[in-house]
Amino acid sequence: MISSRQTPEAAQASTAAAQTYGPESPVGQRPAKVGASMEQVGLDMLESADRCRRLLA
């Protein structure tokens, strides 16, 4: 499990790997999908944390 701060870095690394292999190649498609998925997960984590902060305030 990685933190919400590390998730964007991991997403960027996956996206960079996809660019290295070419996002249209079979080898590049998987890291491209992982990068997009991790970016969305990171955003969801931040939104969830904001909601919880308001509930606990």
Side-chain angles (χ1 to χ4, degrees), residues 26-52:
V27 175
Q29 289 176 359
R30 181 168 288 163
K33 290 178 183 178
V34 169
S37 175
M38 291 187 78
E39 183 177 352
Q40 185 59 52
V41 167
L43 293 172
D44 289 347
M45 288 170 63
L46 292 172
E47 288 176 17
S48 180
D50 285 342
R51 281 193 307 273
C52 288

Side-chain angles (χ1 to χ4, degrees), residues 7-34:
T7 303
E9 294 169 4
Q12 289 174 346
S14 293
T15 302
Q19 293 300 319
T20 299
Y21 295 110
E24 300 302 319
S25 74
V27 175
Q29 289 176 359
R30 181 168 288 163
K33 290 178 183 178
V34 169

